[in-house]
Amino acid sequence: MKAAAAAHPQRRLQLWFQDEARIGQKGRTAHRWWERGQRPLGLCDKRFISAYLYAAVCPASGADFALVMPTVSTTAMSLFLDGFSRSLEPDVQAVLVLDQAGWHGARTLVVPDNITLVPLPPCVLANP
């Protein structure tokens, strides 16, 4: 936060958190009672359909922003950041905390000027 405040002294800082989630249907094999050692007759639907919800929330104000995208990628993340940037007030600098997914730190990711990305540190598990 201090680095973002120093880099953008003319703007109000807002702390936001962002993540993605896959939402959808994935078919699975049907379970039936059948004779032991034999497979039941019938087809199984192996298709699946899903979408990805990109969302950001500001806990201090309760404000949020979300987009539904067909995939997770650097291009989709750039589109999300562009829409999120346009939803902010003109004098706001958003400090966006996110995980270290590959598309969050890609070289081709387009980050608008009014957003500062802050990746979470990697998880370090303590030895028991």
Side-chain angles (χ1 to χ4, degrees):
M1 291 291 282
K2 289 179 184 179
H8 306 282
Q10 71 284 6
R11 295 186 180 173
R12 289 184 301 128
L13 293 185
Q14 284 186 347
L15 182 62
W16 290 74
F17 295 89
Q18 187 275 334
D19 206 358
E20 304 87 19
R22 183 178 68 82
I23 299 169
Q25 171 254 330
K26 183 171 182 177
R28 67 181 191 96
T29 305
H31 295 281
R32 301 181 190 173
W33 287 97
W34 202 256
E35 291 183 41
R36 184 179 294 263
Q38 296 184 9
R39 290 183 182 251
L41 300 175
L43 299 175
C44 173
D45 184 4
K46 302 241 184 206
R47 298 173 293 171
F48 63 93
I49 299 171
S50 58
Y52 293 86
L53 178 65
Y54 286 70
V57 64
C58 177
S61 66
D64 57 17
F65 178 80
L67 284 180
V68 177
M69 305 289 241
T71 184
V72 289
S73 66
T74 303
T75 303
M77 185 66 183
S78 293
L79 290 171
F80 171 79
L81 290 175
D82 180 58
F84 175 59
S85 170
R86 288 186 277 116
S87 75
L88 297 171
E89 295 175 17
D91 65 332
V92 168
Q93 180 69 27
V95 178
L96 188 62
V97 179
L98 36 69
D99 59 22
Q100 292 193 25
W103 53 89
H104 293 168
R107 291 182 193 159
T108 58
L109 182 65
V110 179
V111 181
D113 292 336
N114 61 344
I115 299 174
T116 301
L117 299 183
V118 178
L120 289 170
C123 178
V124 178
L125 301 175
N127 290 333

